[in-house]
PDB file of all heavy atoms in Angstrom:
ATOM      1  N   SER E  29     -66.367 -29.210 -88.075  1.00 97.00           N
ATOM      2  CA  SER E  29     -66.971 -28.001 -88.635  1.00 97.00           C
ATOM      3  C   SER E  29     -67.644 -27.294 -87.468  1.00 97.00           C
ATOM      4  O   SER E  29     -68.134 -27.951 -86.549  1.00 97.00           O
ATOM      5  CB  SER E  29     -68.005 -28.349 -89.708  1.00 97.00           C
ATOM      6  OG  SER E  29     -67.366 -28.855 -90.856  1.00 97.00           O
ATOM      7  N   THR E  30     -67.680 -25.970 -87.500  1.00 98.00           N
ATOM      8  CA  THR E  30     -68.212 -25.226 -86.360  1.00 98.00           C
ATOM      9  C   THR E  30     -69.087 -24.084 -86.837  1.00 98.00           C
ATOM     10  O   THR E  30     -68.734 -23.378 -87.784  1.00 98.00           O
ATOM     11  CB  THR E  30     -67.055 -24.680 -85.492  1.00 98.00           C
ATOM     12  OG1 THR E  30     -66.217 -25.768 -85.101  1.00 98.00           O
ATOM     13  CG2 THR E  30     -67.577 -23.968 -84.251  1.00 98.00           C
ATOM     14  N   VAL E  31     -70.231 -23.935 -86.169  1.00 98.00           N
ATOM     15  CA  VAL E  31     -71.122 -22.802 -86.416  1.00 98.00           C
ATOM     16  C   VAL E  31     -71.392 -22.096 -85.098  1.00 98.00           C
ATOM     17  O   VAL E  31     -71.240 -22.679 -84.024  1.00 98.00           O
ATOM     18  CB  VAL E  31     -72.460 -23.234 -87.071  1.00 98.00           C
ATOM     19  CG1 VAL E  31     -72.219 -23.848 -88.441  1.00 98.00           C
ATOM     20  CG2 VAL E  31     -73.245 -24.170 -86.176  1.00 98.00           C
ATOM     21  N   ALA E  32     -71.811 -20.846 -85.208  1.00 98.00           N
ATOM     22  CA  ALA E  32     -72.195 -20.069 -84.028  1.00 98.00           C
ATOM     23  C   ALA E  32     -73.703 -19.859 -84.048  1.00 98.00           C
ATOM     24  O   ALA E  32     -74.265 -19.468 -85.071  1.00 98.00           O
ATOM     25  CB  ALA E  32     -71.487 -18.716 -84.019  1.00 98.00           C
ATOM     26  N   ILE E  33     -74.317 -20.156 -82.913  1.00 97.00           N
ATOM     27  CA  ILE E  33     -75.742 -19.919 -82.717  1.00 97.00           C
ATOM     28  C   ILE E  33     -75.869 -19.083 -81.453  1.00 97.00           C
ATOM     29  O   ILE E  33     -75.439 -19.514 -80.377  1.00 97.00           O
ATOM     30  CB  ILE E  33     -76.520 -21.244 -82.565  1.00 97.00           C
ATOM     31  CG1 ILE E  33     -76.369 -22.107 -83.824  1.00 97.00           C
ATOM     32  CG2 ILE E  33     -77.995 -20.969 -82.267  1.00 97.00           C
ATOM     33  CD1 ILE E  33     -76.944 -23.513 -83.694  1.00 97.00           C
ATOM     34  N   ASP E  34     -76.438 -17.885 -81.578  1.00 95.00           N
ATOM     35  CA  ASP E  34     -76.572 -16.986 -80.422  1.00 95.00           C
ATOM     36  C   ASP E  34     -75.251 -16.809 -79.689  1.00 95.00           C
ATOM     37  O   ASP E  34     -75.172 -16.924 -78.466  1.00 95.00           O
ATOM     38  CB  ASP E  34     -77.649 -17.495 -79.462  1.00 95.00           C
ATOM     39  CG  ASP E  34     -79.023 -17.511 -80.094  1.00 95.00           C
ATOM     40  OD1 ASP E  34     -79.286 -16.659 -80.962  1.00 95.00           O
ATOM     41  OD2 ASP E  34     -79.838 -18.382 -79.722  1.00 95.00           O
ATOM     42  N   ASP E  35     -74.186 -16.555 -80.442  1.00 96.00           N
ATOM     43  CA  ASP E  35     -72.852 -16.290 -79.888  1.00 96.00           C
ATOM     44  C   ASP E  35     -72.262 -17.457 -79.114  1.00 96.00           C
ATOM     45  O   ASP E  35     -71.419 -17.265 -78.238  1.00 96.00           O
ATOM     46  CB  ASP E  35     -72.861 -15.025 -79.011  1.00 96.00           C
ATOM     47  CG  ASP E  35     -73.267 -13.797 -79.789  1.00 96.00           C
ATOM     48  OD1 ASP E  35     -72.804 -13.665 -80.938  1.00 96.00           O
ATOM     49  OD2 ASP E  35     -74.045 -12.987 -79.264  1.00 96.00           O
ATOM     50  N   ARG E  36     -72.703 -18.687 -79.435  1.00 97.00           N
ATOM     51  CA  ARG E  36     -72.136 -19.895 -78.828  1.00 97.00           C
ATOM     52  C   ARG E  36     -71.777 -20.864 -79.948  1.00 97.00           C
ATOM     53  O   ARG E  36     -72.584 -21.102 -80.846  1.00 97.00           O
ATOM     54  CB  ARG E  36     -73.121 -20.529 -77.849  1.00 97.00           C
ATOM     55  CG  ARG E  36     -73.372 -19.599 -76.652  1.00 97.00           C
ATOM     56  CD  ARG E  36     -74.311 -20.193 -75.654  1.00 97.00           C
ATOM     57  NE  ARG E  36     -75.622 -20.407 -76.260  1.00 97.00           N
ATOM     58  CZ  ARG E  36     -76.487 -21.310 -75.818  1.00 97.00           C
ATOM     59  NH1 ARG E  36     -76.205 -22.075 -74.800  1.00 97.00           N
ATOM     60  NH2 ARG E  36     -77.667 -21.441 -76.403  1.00 97.00           N
ATOM     61  N   ALA E  37     -70.589 -21.407 -79.870  1.00 98.00           N
ATOM     62  CA  ALA E  37     -70.109 -22.297 -80.930  1.00 98.00           C
ATOM     63  C   ALA E  37     -70.564 -23.729 -80.704  1.00 98.00           C
ATOM     64  O   ALA E  37     -70.585 -24.224 -79.576  1.00 98.00           O
ATOM     65  CB  ALA E  37     -68.586 -22.241 -81.000  1.00 98.00           C
ATOM     66  N   VAL E  38     -70.915 -24.376 -81.812  1.00 98.00           N
ATOM     67  CA  VAL E  38     -71.258 -25.792 -81.838  1.00 98.00           C
ATOM     68  C   VAL E  38     -70.216 -26.487 -82.703  1.00 98.00           C
ATOM     69  O   VAL E  38     -70.109 -26.197 -83.892  1.00 98.00           O
ATOM     70  CB  VAL E  38     -72.668 -26.025 -82.420  1.00 98.00           C
ATOM     71  CG1 VAL E  38     -72.964 -27.517 -82.513  1.00 98.00           C
ATOM     72  CG2 VAL E  38     -73.722 -25.307 -81.598  1.00 98.00           C
ATOM     73  N   LEU E  39     -69.442 -27.382 -82.093  1.00 98.00           N
ATOM     74  CA  LEU E  39     -68.477 -28.193 -82.820  1.00 98.00           C
ATOM     75  C   LEU E  39     -69.231 -29.380 -83.412  1.00 98.00           C
ATOM     76  O   LEU E  39     -69.927 -30.087 -82.677  1.00 98.00           O
ATOM     77  CB  LEU E  39     -67.388 -28.717 -81.889  1.00 98.00           C
ATOM     78  CG  LEU E  39     -66.550 -27.705 -81.122  1.00 98.00           C
ATOM     79  CD1 LEU E  39     -65.644 -28.426 -80.141  1.00 98.00           C
ATOM     80  CD2 LEU E  39     -65.741 -26.850 -82.081  1.00 98.00           C
ATOM     81  N   ILE E  40     -69.096 -29.611 -84.698  1.00 97.00           N
ATOM     82  CA  ILE E  40     -69.736 -30.747 -85.355  1.00 97.00           C
ATOM     83  C   ILE E  40     -68.604 -31.688 -85.764  1.00 97.00           C
ATOM     84  O   ILE E  40     -67.857 -31.410 -86.691  1.00 97.00           O
ATOM     85  CB  ILE E  40     -70.567 -30.303 -86.573  1.00 97.00           C
ATOM     86  CG1 ILE E  40     -71.604 -29.248 -86.152  1.00 97.00           C
ATOM     87  CG2 ILE E  40     -71.233 -31.508 -87.224  1.00 97.00           C
ATOM     88  CD1 ILE E  40     -72.293 -28.553 -87.308  1.00 97.00           C
ATOM     89  N   ARG E  41     -68.469 -32.781 -85.017  1.00 95.00           N
ATOM     90  CA  ARG E  41     -67.343 -33.688 -85.169  1.00 95.00           C
ATOM     91  C   ARG E  41     -67.744 -34.966 -85.896  1.00 95.00           C
ATOM     92  O   ARG E  41     -68.838 -35.470 -85.693  1.00 95.00           O
ATOM     93  CB  ARG E  41     -66.785 -34.051 -83.794  1.00 95.00           C
ATOM     94  CG  ARG E  41     -66.301 -32.853 -82.999  1.00 95.00           C
ATOM     95  CD  ARG E  41     -65.816 -33.225 -81.604  1.00 95.00           C
ATOM     96  NE  ARG E  41     -65.112 -34.478 -81.559  1.00 95.00           N
ATOM     97  CZ  ARG E  41     -65.654 -35.636 -81.177  1.00 95.00           C
ATOM     98  NH1 ARG E  41     -66.904 -35.688 -80.774  1.00 95.00           N
ATOM     99  NH2 ARG E  41     -64.944 -36.737 -81.177  1.00 95.00           N
ATOM    100  N   GLY E  42     -66.843 -35.486 -86.699  1.00 91.00           N
ATOM    101  CA  GLY E  42     -67.077 -36.743 -87.384  1.00 91.00           C
ATOM    102  C   GLY E  42     -66.009 -36.985 -88.425  1.00 91.00           C
ATOM    103  O   GLY E  42     -65.255 -36.087 -88.785  1.00 91.00           O
ATOM    104  N   ARG E  43     -65.958 -38.206 -88.907  1.00 87.00           N
ATOM    105  CA  ARG E  43     -64.962 -38.571 -89.921  1.00 87.00           C
ATOM    106  C   ARG E  43     -65.282 -37.839 -91.239  1.00 87.00           C
ATOM    107  O   ARG E  43     -66.375 -37.304 -91.412  1.00 87.00           O
ATOM    108  CB  ARG E  43     -64.928 -40.084 -90.103  1.00 87.00           C
ATOM    109  CG  ARG E  43     -66.154 -40.648 -90.734  1.00 87.00           C
ATOM    110  CD  ARG E  43     -66.202 -42.163 -90.731  1.00 87.00           C
ATOM    111  NE  ARG E  43     -67.355 -42.654 -91.450  1.00 87.00           N
ATOM    112  CZ  ARG E  43     -68.617 -42.533 -91.070  1.00 87.00           C
ATOM    113  NH1 ARG E  43     -68.898 -41.928 -89.939  1.00 87.00           N
ATOM    114  NH2 ARG E  43     -69.604 -43.006 -91.803  1.00 87.00           N
ATOM    115  N   SER E  44     -64.365 -37.874 -92.159  1.00 86.00           N
ATOM    116  CA  SER E  44     -64.579 -37.276 -93.481  1.00 86.00           C
ATOM    117  C   SER E  44     -65.784 -37.933 -94.135  1.00 86.00           C
ATOM    118  O   SER E  44     -65.925 -39.155 -94.106  1.00 86.00           O
ATOM    119  CB  SER E  44     -63.342 -37.472 -94.353  1.00 86.00           C
ATOM    120  OG  SER E  44     -62.266 -36.735 -93.839  1.00 86.00           O
ATOM    121  N   GLY E  45     -66.666 -37.121 -94.705  1.00 83.00           N
ATOM    122  CA  GLY E  45     -67.856 -37.630 -95.379  1.00 83.00           C
ATOM    123  C   GLY E  45     -69.006 -37.990 -94.465  1.00 83.00           C
ATOM    124  O   GLY E  45     -70.026 -38.504 -94.924  1.00 83.00           O
ATOM    125  N   SER E  46     -68.891 -37.700 -93.168  1.00 84.00           N
ATOM    126  CA  SER E  46     -69.945 -38.091 -92.214  1.00 84.00           C
ATOM    127  C   SER E  46     -71.118 -37.114 -92.157  1.00 84.00           C
ATOM    128  O   SER E  46     -72.125 -37.407 -91.536  1.00 84.00           O
ATOM    129  CB  SER E  46     -69.361 -38.268 -90.808  1.00 84.00           C
ATOM    130  OG  SER E  46     -68.856 -37.035 -90.322  1.00 84.00           O
ATOM    131  N   GLY E  47     -71.001 -35.941 -92.795  1.00 88.00           N
ATOM    132  CA  GLY E  47     -72.107 -34.996 -92.808  1.00 88.00           C
ATOM    133  C   GLY E  47     -71.867 -33.725 -92.021  1.00 88.00           C
ATOM    134  O   GLY E  47     -72.806 -32.963 -91.773  1.00 88.00           O
TER     135      GLY E  47
END
Side-chain angles (χ1 to χ4, degrees):
S29 290
T30 304
V31 297
I33 299 172
D34 297 329
D35 300 318
R36 295 181 297 155
V38 177
L39 301 173
I40 304 169
R41 300 177 38 261
R43 69 188 185 291
S44 293
S46 64

